[in-house]
Amino acid sequence: MKEKRIKAPRGMADLFFDDAVLRQRLENTARDLFDLYGFSEIRTPILEETALFTRSIGDATDIVSKEMFSFTDRGERNLSLRPEGTAPVVRSYIENDLGKKAGLCKLYYAGPMFRSERPQAGRLRQFYQLGVEVIGSASPYADAEVMILMMELLQKLGLDGAELKLNSLGCADDKEKFNRLLKKELSGQKSALCKDCQARFDKNILRIFDCKNESCKRLLRAAPDMLEHICGGCRDHFDKVKEALSRQKVGFTVDPRLVRGLDYYTQTAFEVTHKNLGSQNAVGAGGRYDKLVRELGGPDAPACGFAVGLDRIALALDENKKAAVKAAIKVFVVPLGGEAQAKGFSILQELRKQGIAAEMDYDARSLKAQMRRADKSGADYAVIIGEDELKKGAVIIRNMKDKSQRELGFGQITDSIKGL
Ligand code: HAM
């Protein structure tokens, strides 16, 4: 009987060939841009103590209550695969006293995150985020910088037409007051809300604004707007953020109903969507979280940041842009016969030493078979070494696009190709 094949876990994808190349390019472009904006990389563990996420993201959120991969390890420790990057960065900031070492901390990260959601297009259980966190400044310019960087990043990654939506949730006091107000306003209608919203009503009422249920949406039309209930200081902060964005010509719309699925936000919250995506249309999101460092046992350090989802960016990119990101083999060496193979192997290594990306078929197959592989590799040139050429100390160099060929002496190969 044939053994049952083992598959990758549900909602977790293998990335290879062009998909992996695309991801590398996206990440490299991001790293260059993060350098330009003065961010340095932080790498935190994939696993953290579960309490880190319950205390930061919030135990009434979907992420913590339903979506974490949590387990008890052999030492009876309760651990979770990280569902996001902000809480681990803050944990590390506190644990390593980064505020004292660096003052204002501008950190970026790239890596996999894990949420056990129902998989669908653009929603995976292992997905990849690129994110930044600015820890140690309450300035509206920090919020603006983070959003400007995110929009520039999306554009640099080839994603035009991303839309930025923005709101202010107010400070911790404002949030609490607004929660109370909302509860009062909706108390008579609680039984008309969907089951999920009834649970949200008690635990995390702001999340009601995220409900997709039509009857809940209708009920909420008459509900008060958060933005109208924030204090003077928060309003001033929000105005300055908007002004800084406008001055830099970053387009945005204010959405007074925008709430986030994580509890740690105060003041600015934002989300970026793209029309090429279906129901999972957020390519990135973020905001300010002034109380989180303190709540996790650190100093008073106001902070803000964003994360974009690489899987969704890859999905939203149009096919032309993806096609442009092919693996870049420049030369394919095609030896014909055993002796030519040894010479071909030397030429191959010489090309690589000179920084020219090159490949060769090891199996000394027919000219036709090798040329087919050369074609598939996307190489610009084939260097063909037949027996006649070998005797003459020469090769044929073939332009794979226009099919023109010419003969070159062994000594001229690398210099000629470099000059092409
Ligand atoms: P988030 O909105 O939960 O925020 O996630 C940010 C982005 O990660 C989303 O906009 C989406 O592109 C991607 N993403 C989330 N879940 C999935 C999934 N299941 N499959 C594919 N992509 C997904 C955060 O994680 C915050 N830590 C952002 C932040 C940074 N706030 C402040 N600093």
Side-chain angles (χ1 to χ4, degrees), residues 63 83-87 109 115 117 122-129 131-133 260-262 264-265 271-272 282-289 304-312:
I63 298 179
E84 58 107 49
T86 309
Y109 49 89
R115 296 181 195 175
E117 298 182 81
R123 190 159 76 189
L124 290 146
R125 291 183 169 176
Q126 173 169 338
F127 58 98
Y128 292 80
Q129 278 189 349
V132 309
E133 312 295 347
R260 303 271 301 116
L262 307 98
Y264 49 62
Y265 294 109
E271 205 165 80
V272 175
V283 277
R288 182 161 273 290
Y289 49 95
C304 60
F306 75 76
V308 295
L310 272 181
D311 310 271
R312 293 194 189 165

